[in-house]
């Protein structure tokens, strides 16, 4: 038996309605906020991600699916979309055609992480990127938009965390003071955090190790090292959100894993998904374009995990069990009428009805059982004496009412079923 690869999942027909519900909701909201869909290739040159996301990040240093193709080009399956969307905007000069590109996506992503509930190796994200303008209004819009989608889905136990990472200059100065503080405590840090001390010091805030958490309790905070410009920007974002009644929790330790963030970063977490509690995350990335392209273009965005949102929905019991229905099941009474049944099905499907019949030559009894199982609203009996007289029997499966239909007046079936 060949099976799915560890950390990947089939989405089976019985689960699809949840995905479609969620995707439709997401599309509806992006439409209201006037975001346009963008689709980029599943794989890109590795350098796009290593340069864009940053060599020292977890994604680039240990999670990417990277391989050499047959012409020895290093290729990577996309682990996230922001770098790809920014690449696309620059490549096609969208930033020169309009002051602001408001884009959204729904796409699979690939990261070689240790699978667990809410964490897969192929997973799906939806997200938005607003590229071209640096305005606190856009930072706030990302949070409002993503929060409203989650609320509209019906999720209750949400926390919105926000922080500012300031400018690279402020961050670099701050890193020096963090270094000075941590040098004294280096021996108490976990092995992982010791490594991060040299490679990505801010990420020590993300550590789940008890000793690390204790040390970081008294660490200096970036938010106290912001200049007036950054502080004002952060205050504006927060006041817009508070006007909009979005409950905010400032979390000075929210550093997020990626190098490209500047100023606002945020996450929305749910109590309903266990350890992997972040449903979505995002922030401003004014320097990313310059890192992967030839010009500076500001941007802000977010990415949300569909599997994790579905998990939260399941745990909050938001989806009613689905009941599929069809309009009509054709019951073939005489074996030799196979072609006729196919023709009638085709005719009625062309009229817009959902029609099914038996392909497996089963008995009339088995066909009737199948009609019930498929929740058919009507069944049509084809064959017997009536058929010889040019007639078909249409039965309402709910109340048992029967109507006789002339073979050459098949369109009448539509009127009976659809009223
Ligand atoms: P990130 O791009 O790491 O900020 O992730 C944004 C969101 O994508 C997270 O909050 C999750 O909902 C989702 N996500 C990230 N990594 C995974 C994964 N390995 N499996 C499932 N969902 C993920």
């Amino acid at each position: 038996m060949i099976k799915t690869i560890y950390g990947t999942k089939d989405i089976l027909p019985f689960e699809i309605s949840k995905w479609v519900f969620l995707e439709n909701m997401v599309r509806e909201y992006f439409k209201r906020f006037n975001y346009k869909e963008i689709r980029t290739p599943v794989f890109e040159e590795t350098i796009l991600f290593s340069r864009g996301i940053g060599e020292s990040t977890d994604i680039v240093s240990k999670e990417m699916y990277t391989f050499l193709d047959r012409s020895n080009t290093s290729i990577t399956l996309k682990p996230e979309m922001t770098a790809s969307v920014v690449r696309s905007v620059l490549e096609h000069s969208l930033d020169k055609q309009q002051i602001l590109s408001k884009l959204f996506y729904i796409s699979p992503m690939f990261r070689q992480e240790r699978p667990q509930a809410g964490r897969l190796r192929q997973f799906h994200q939806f997200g938005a990127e607003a590229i071209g303008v640096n305005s606190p209004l856009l930072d706030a819009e990302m949070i409002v938009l993503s929060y409203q989608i989650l609320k509209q889905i019906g999720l209750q136990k949400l926390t919105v965390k926000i922080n500012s990472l300031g400018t690279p200059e402020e961050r670099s100065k701050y890193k020096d003071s963090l270094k000075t503080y941590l040098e004294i405590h280096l021996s108490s840090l976990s092995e992982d955090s010791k490594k991060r001390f040299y490679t990505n010091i801010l990420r020590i805030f993300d550590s789940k190790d008890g000793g690390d958490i204790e040390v970081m309790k008294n660490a200096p905070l970036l938010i106290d090292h912001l200049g007036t410009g950054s502080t004002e920007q952060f205050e504006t974002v927060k006041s817009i959100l508070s006007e909009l009644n979005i409950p905010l929790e400032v979390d000075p330790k929210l550093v997020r894993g990626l190098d490209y963030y500047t100023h606002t970063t945020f996450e929305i977490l749910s109590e309903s998904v266990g350890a992997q509690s972040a449903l979505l995350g995002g922030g401003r990335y004014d320097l990313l374009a310059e890192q992967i392209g030839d010009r500076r273009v500001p941007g802000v965005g977010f990415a949300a995990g569909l599997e994790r949102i579905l998990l939260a929905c399941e745990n909050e019991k938001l989806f009613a069990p689905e009941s599929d229905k069809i309009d009509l099941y054709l019951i073939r009474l005489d074996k030799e009428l196979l072609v006729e049944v196919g023709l009638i099905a085709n005719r009625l499907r062309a009229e817009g009805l959902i029609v099914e019949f038996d392909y497996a030559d089963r008995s009339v009894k088995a066909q009737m059982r199948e009609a019930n199982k498929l929740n058919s609203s009507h069944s049509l009996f084809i064959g017997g004496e009536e058929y010889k007289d040019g007639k078909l029997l249409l039965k309402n499966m709910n109340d048992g009412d029967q109507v006789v239909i002339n073979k050459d007046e098949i369109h009448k079936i539509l009127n009976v079923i659809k009223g």
Side-chain angles (χ1 to χ4, degrees):
M1 268 294 289
I2 300 171
K3 295 193 170 169
T4 46
I5 288 177
Y6 188 50
T8 69
K9 261 192 182 164
D10 295 320
I11 302 166
L12 295 171
F14 74 89
E15 302 164 292
I16 284 292
S17 64
K18 296 176 190 171
W19 284 79
V20 172
F21 165 80
L22 205 54
E23 287 164 7
N24 287 343
M25 171 85 77
V26 163
R27 282 178 194 283
E28 163 67 24
Y29 265 82
F30 283 132
K31 202 170 168 183
R32 289 191 201 175
F33 283 73
N34 197 28
Y35 283 70
K36 305 279 186 234
E37 183 167 4
I38 183 164
R39 299 185 188 187
T40 63
V42 163
F43 54 84
E44 301 256 10
E45 271 194 72
T46 301
I47 195 171
L48 172 69
F49 303 115
S50 53
R51 237 198 254 162
I53 302 171
E55 295 282 0
S56 65
T57 59
D58 281 357
I59 293 184
V60 174
S61 64
K62 48 187 190 203
E63 294 168 2
M64 293 202 306
Y65 280 100
T66 297
F67 57 96
L68 290 178
D69 72 2
R70 285 169 204 272
S71 50
N72 267 341
T73 307
S74 181
I75 300 283
T76 293
L77 302 184
K78 61 183 169 192
E80 57 113 55
M81 269 295 269
T82 306
S84 298
V85 173
V86 172
R87 185 224 12 91
S88 182
V89 166
L90 297 175
E91 184 174 339
H92 303 286
S93 297
L94 301 186
D95 59 315
K96 292 180 179 160
Q97 294 159 29
Q98 55 201 15
I99 182 143
L100 179 63
S101 301
K102 299 201 332 181
L103 304 165
F104 82 89
Y105 58 84
I106 304 178
S107 172
M109 305 293 161
F110 307 86
R111 295 183 198 172
Q112 192 159 3
E113 296 192 82
R114 196 170 47 79
Q116 61 184 88
R119 202 205 269 154
L120 291 153
R121 291 184 167 178
Q122 173 174 338
F123 59 99
H124 299 78
Q125 287 185 335
F126 67 85
E129 315 289 352
I131 299 169
V133 174
N134 174 3
S135 160
L137 264 178
L138 283 170
D139 300 32
E141 181 164 291
M142 285 300 160
I143 298 173
V144 172
L145 168 57
S146 54
Y147 184 73
Q148 282 185 359
I149 291 175
L150 299 180
K151 286 307 263 186
Q152 188 62 35
I153 293 167
L155 289 170
Q156 295 295 334
K157 302 167 183 170
L158 300 174
T159 309
V160 185
K161 288 192 173 177
I162 186 168
N163 189 22
S164 171
L165 296 180
T167 63
E169 295 76 29
E170 287 156 359
R171 198 150 70 202
S172 149
K173 261 201 207 142
Y174 162 72
K175 276 185 188 168
D176 289 343
S177 59
L178 184 60
K179 230 175 217 161
T180 313
Y181 168 79
L182 284 176
E183 253 157 10
I184 313 166
H185 297 93
L186 203 54
S187 57
S188 332
L189 291 181
S190 65
E191 285 313 304
D192 260 359
S193 289
K194 275 186 192 136
K195 272 187 226 148
R196 285 172 174 167
F197 178 83
Y198 297 103
T199 57
N200 196 345
I201 193 165
L202 289 183
R203 289 295 312 279
I204 301 179
F205 281 113
D206 288 342
S207 173
K208 304 271 184 296
D209 177 273
D212 291 351
I213 293 173
E214 208 42 48
V215 171
M216 296 316 276
K217 267 188 188 158
N218 298 316
L221 297 171
L222 177 47
I223 209 160
D224 301 324
H225 287 67
L226 298 182
T228 8
S230 293
T231 307
E232 269 170 22
Q233 188 157 340
F234 190 41
E235 290 306 318
T236 312
V237 175
K238 282 191 298 180
S239 67
I240 298 169
L241 290 165
S242 110
E243 291 289 329
L244 291 165
N245 286 327
I246 309 278
L248 279 186
E249 201 178 286
V250 175
D251 179 0
K253 295 185 174 156
L254 178 71
V255 291
R256 310 241 333 119
L258 316 181
D259 274 1
Y260 53 57
Y261 287 119
T262 48
H263 297 290
T264 312
T265 54
F266 64 94
E267 274 183 1
I268 302 186
L269 300 96
S270 163
E271 276 172 42
S272 308
V273 284
Q276 300 302 317
S277 58
L279 299 183
L280 60 88
R284 174 158 288 286
Y285 48 83
D286 291 346
L287 303 174
L288 175 60
E290 212 173 14
Q291 274 165 33
I292 60 177
D294 58 356
R295 52 193 186 273
R296 192 177 267 215
V297 187
V300 62
F302 79 88
L306 280 158
E307 282 85 355
R308 236 174 254 182
I309 292 173
L310 287 171
L311 194 63
C313 291
E314 235 152 74
N315 291 342
E316 290 189 26
K317 305 204 171 13
L318 293 181
F319 291 123
E322 112 184 72
S323 64
D324 269 343
K325 281 195 174 72
I326 67 167
D327 294 317
L328 183 63
Y329 194 90
L330 307 184
I331 293 176
R332 178 156 55 105
L333 302 174
D334 304 323
K335 289 229 181 293
E336 63 274 15
L337 290 176
L338 180 66
V339 175
E340 284 78 355
V341 168
L343 287 175
I344 293 173
N346 208 35
R347 168 91 192 272
L348 292 168
R349 284 168 176 165
E351 304 271 0
L353 292 184
I354 307 172
V355 182
E356 190 53 289
F357 59 89
D358 173 50
Y359 299 84
D361 251 349
R362 284 179 297 179
S363 68
V364 171
K365 220 178 189 176
Q367 293 180 61
M368 288 169 69
R369 265 201 306 270
E370 184 75 5
N372 274 319
K373 197 169 145 197
L374 294 178
N375 255 329
S376 188
S377 98
H378 288 74
S379 50
L380 185 70
F381 293 84
I382 303 165
E385 286 308 311
E386 269 140 344
Y387 190 79
K388 284 187 197 134
D389 295 343
K391 294 191 169 25
L392 306 160
L393 193 71
L394 180 64
K395 182 175 167 190
N396 183 320
M397 304 281 284
N398 295 319
D399 56 21
D401 267 7
Q402 303 192 356
V403 194
V404 175
I405 304 275
N406 280 330
K407 249 193 321 187
D408 47 10
E409 288 180 330
I410 282 192
H411 59 275
K412 285 195 174 158
I413 293 175
L414 193 74
N415 297 340
V416 175
I417 294 180
K418 292 290 178 193

